[in-house]
């Protein structure tokens, strides 16, 4: 059944045809051709009703020496980007236990129509400079860029293709009341060419997600625990995982990441249940993939900074976009926590608890 929250099938077919035409251009670079082929395959999946995230084909090598070289290079890059002070501060978060929340929390259920209405209200109240772009993305009258998928197995996501150069939103409204707003902000940033450093890639969407919950609270007078607890739970788990990972990173940094193979394996054996070389290699390949680790860092640091920005927006009446955009236009990752940071996060978690509906 076709609705305003589903892609136009003829439009998708036209995009695929346009992709094949673009591939005939002899001036097209190899990388551009590769990306267009990926886009064609993605839109063909859309036609078949398959909206799940396409798994990455990037895998770490099985050979232990090659694996060690890749991992040490990536860890050294991460160490240089973050800096030891931030690494130690992040590890200290583990001891403070700020982000703790009970599992299986009830969520506010909103239809995608209601999410769209509150999303636009959120932009009007908190980021009016983005509202027009958000309206265009959510409007079904020009190009339908939102596909509602209530049974989506993966998380909701925003897909940007190189054929149309437009963002397309795949949204499961049952994921969270703010799911549509989160992905809409990704789309807004794509259209406005706001490209954040990878470690702050989620900052804008998470900030608008937090502000959406404020809008939701204003409208219904309460929050359900699940409206905010998923992010808290994810942060709690990420902090624990990063503590172990950073502990190894700091050990390797002592020798400038020049590490014998036996030491490399021994360090990782301390955080997994395997003792054999094969078991440790499998653990690293499955659990410590560098791009996934960076993604976890990105969600954590984006969430922490978003909490700080939200407080400045509310308490100091500072402009949301003026606070946010410097982070979305800088190629450098700069995260400088202060002595007040932990207190800010505690105030936030306590505020959420105080706004939670008592069952």
């Amino acid at each position: 059944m076709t609705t305003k929250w589903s892609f136009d099938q003829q439009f998708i077919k036209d995009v695929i045809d346009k992709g094949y035409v673009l591939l005939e251009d002899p001036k097209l670079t190899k990388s551009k051709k590769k990306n267009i082929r990926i886009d064609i395959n993605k839109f063909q999946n859309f036609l078949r009703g398959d909206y799940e995230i396409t798994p990455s084909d990037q895998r770490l090598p099985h050979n232990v020496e090659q694996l060690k070289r890749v991992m040490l290079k990536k860890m050294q890059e991460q160490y240089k980007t973050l800096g030891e002070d931030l690494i130690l501060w992040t590890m200290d978060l583990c001891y403070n236990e700020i982000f703790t929340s009970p599992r299986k929390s009830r969520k506010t259920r909103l239809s995608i129509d209601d999410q769209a209405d509150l999303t636009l209200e959120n932009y009007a109240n908190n980021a009016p400079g983005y509202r027009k772009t958000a309206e265009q993305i959510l409007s079904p009258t020009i190009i339908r860029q939102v596909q509602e998928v209530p049974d989506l197995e993966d998380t909701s996501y925003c897909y940007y293709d190189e054929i149309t150069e437009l963002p397309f939103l795949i949204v499961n409204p049952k994921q969270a009341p703010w799911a549509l707003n989160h992905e809409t902000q990704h789309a807004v940033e794509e259209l406005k060419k706001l490209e954040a450093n990878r470690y702050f890639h989620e900052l804008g969407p998470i900030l608008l997600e937090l502000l959406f919950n404020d809008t939701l609270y204003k409208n219904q007078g309460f929050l359900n625990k699940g409206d905010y607890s998923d992010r808290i739970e994810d942060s709690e788990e990420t902090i624990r995982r990063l503590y172990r990972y950073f502990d190894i990173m700091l050990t390797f940094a002592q020798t400038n990441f020049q590490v014998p193979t036996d030491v490399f394996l021994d360090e990782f054996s301390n955080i997994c249940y395997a003792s054999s070389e094969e078991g440790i290699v499998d653990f690293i390949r499955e659990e410590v993939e560098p791009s996934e680790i960076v993604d976890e860092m990105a969600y954590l640091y984006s969430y922490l900074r978003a909490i700080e920005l939200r407080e400045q927006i509310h308490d100091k009446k500072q402009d949301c976009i003026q606070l946010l955009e410097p982070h979305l236009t800088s190629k450098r990752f700069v995260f400088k926590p202060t002595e007040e940071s932990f207190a800010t996060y505690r105030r936030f978690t306590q505020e959420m608890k105080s706004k939670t509906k008592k069952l």
Side-chain angles (χ1 to χ4, degrees):
M1 178 180 176
T2 302
T3 71
K4 67 177 181 178
W5 302 116
S6 61
F7 297 149
D8 182 288
Q9 296 296 290
Q10 185 56 54
F11 174 78
I12 298 299
K13 292 175 184 177
D14 292 343
V15 171
I16 294 170
D17 291 341
K18 182 181 178 182
Y20 282 121
V21 171
L22 289 174
L23 289 177
E24 298 300 317
D25 183 353
K27 297 180 182 178
L28 218 60
T29 64
K30 287 184 178 180
S31 62
K32 185 76 171 180
K33 284 186 176 181
K34 179 182 178 182
N35 290 338
I36 288 175
R37 289 192 184 100
I38 291 172
D39 290 336
I40 290 173
N41 182 67
K42 187 66 175 178
F43 282 105
Q44 288 173 335
N45 287 344
F46 289 166
L47 279 181
R48 291 192 291 268
D50 178 3
Y51 300 103
E52 300 298 334
I53 296 174
T54 305
S56 171
D57 58 0
Q58 294 183 351
R59 297 289 294 174
L60 290 169
H62 283 281
N63 178 275
V64 66
E65 293 299 329
Q66 293 176 345
L67 175 67
K68 184 185 78 169
R69 282 196 295 272
V70 171
M71 285 298 302
L72 290 177
K73 180 181 178 181
K74 294 296 184 183
M75 293 178 85
Q76 188 171 26
E77 291 171 355
Q78 293 162 6
Y79 178 81
K80 182 178 179 181
T81 298
L82 299 176
E84 190 162 309
D85 287 346
L86 179 57
I87 290 169
L88 291 170
W89 178 87
T90 306
M91 294 174 74
D92 199 31
L93 270 174
C94 196
Y95 293 108
N96 280 265
E97 298 183 344
I98 298 170
F99 299 103
T100 57
S101 182
R103 274 49 174 174
K104 297 182 180 179
S105 303
R106 180 180 177 181
K107 298 176 182 178
T108 299
R109 295 295 188 191
L110 297 178
S111 69
I112 196 165
D113 289 285
D114 289 338
Q115 288 198 21
D117 290 342
L118 285 177
T119 292
L120 294 178
E121 182 180 337
N122 186 22
Y123 280 111
N125 293 337
N126 295 298
Y130 291 161
R131 179 179 171 127
K132 184 176 180 181
T133 305
E135 285 178 335
Q136 293 171 347
I137 294 163
L138 299 178
S139 172
T141 60
I142 307 172
I143 298 173
R144 296 207 295 269
Q145 293 173 247
V146 181
Q147 176 68 50
E148 180 183 14
V149 189
D151 58 349
L152 188 70
E153 292 183 10
D154 292 311
T155 183
S156 302
Y157 63 98
C158 176
Y159 184 82
Y160 184 84
D161 77 283
E162 296 192 25
I163 301 173
T164 66
E165 296 186 334
L166 289 171
F168 293 88
L169 280 55
I170 316 299
V171 178
N172 175 4
K174 294 186 289 186
Q175 175 191 338
W178 42 258
L180 180 62
N181 201 158
H182 182 105
E183 303 310 330
T184 298
Q185 180 60 23
H186 273 303
V188 167
E189 292 175 18
E190 291 282 4
L191 292 176
K192 288 187 170 293
K193 308 299 182 186
L194 297 169
E195 188 175 352
N197 178 283
R198 187 176 180 185
Y199 290 87
F200 272 154
H201 179 64
E202 293 293 330
L203 176 56
I206 292 179
L207 176 58
L208 268 295
E209 164 190 323
L210 299 184
L211 295 173
F212 179 95
N213 275 347
D214 294 335
T215 305
L216 178 63
Y217 178 79
K218 179 182 176 183
N219 276 265
Q220 69 179 13
F222 65 89
L223 293 175
N224 281 301
K225 199 168 292 182
D227 300 341
Y228 60 85
S229 63
D230 284 356
R231 193 68 69 198
I232 290 177
E233 291 167 17
D234 290 344
S235 298
E236 180 186 19
E237 182 176 344
T238 296
I239 289 166
R240 286 200 303 266
R241 280 171 50 84
L242 287 180
Y243 182 95
R244 297 190 293 269
Y245 181 75
F246 283 157
D247 191 41
I248 295 173
M249 180 186 289
L250 292 174
T251 299
F252 292 165
Q254 293 175 6
T255 57
N256 196 29
F257 296 89
Q258 303 301 309
V259 181
T261 302
D262 59 337
V263 174
F264 175 81
L265 293 173
D266 283 347
E267 287 298 325
F268 278 104
S269 72
N270 292 330
I271 63 170
C272 70
Y273 296 107
S275 56
S276 67
E277 178 178 307
E278 181 181 2
I280 298 168
V281 167
D282 286 344
F283 170 80
I284 295 172
R285 294 182 76 249
E286 294 170 10
E287 301 293 334
V288 201
E289 206 285 319
S291 63
E292 293 181 8
I293 288 287
V294 171
D295 285 344
E296 290 189 44
M297 294 180 195
Y299 275 100
L300 177 63
Y301 293 128
S302 293
Y303 183 49
L304 297 177
R305 191 69 185 112
I307 292 172
E308 296 170 1
L309 294 182
R310 173 186 174 271
E311 184 170 89
Q312 293 178 49
I313 291 165
H314 286 336
D315 294 351
K316 300 179 181 178
K317 309 301 180 185
Q318 292 183 255
D319 182 89
C320 171
I321 294 177
Q322 287 185 358
L323 287 171
L324 176 61
E325 286 201 352
H327 297 82
L328 305 185
T329 54
S330 174
K331 300 301 180 185
R332 292 181 64 245
F333 173 64
V334 179
F335 188 99
K336 294 182 178 180
T338 68
E339 293 180 0
E340 179 68 11
S341 294
F342 284 6
T344 301
Y345 310 144
R346 286 195 181 92
R347 283 195 295 271
F348 171 77
T349 56
Q350 289 302 316
E351 180 186 347
M352 293 301 102
K353 290 178 183 177
S354 71
K355 291 180 174 179
T356 303
K357 183 179 181 179
K358 304 298 188 292
L359 298 179

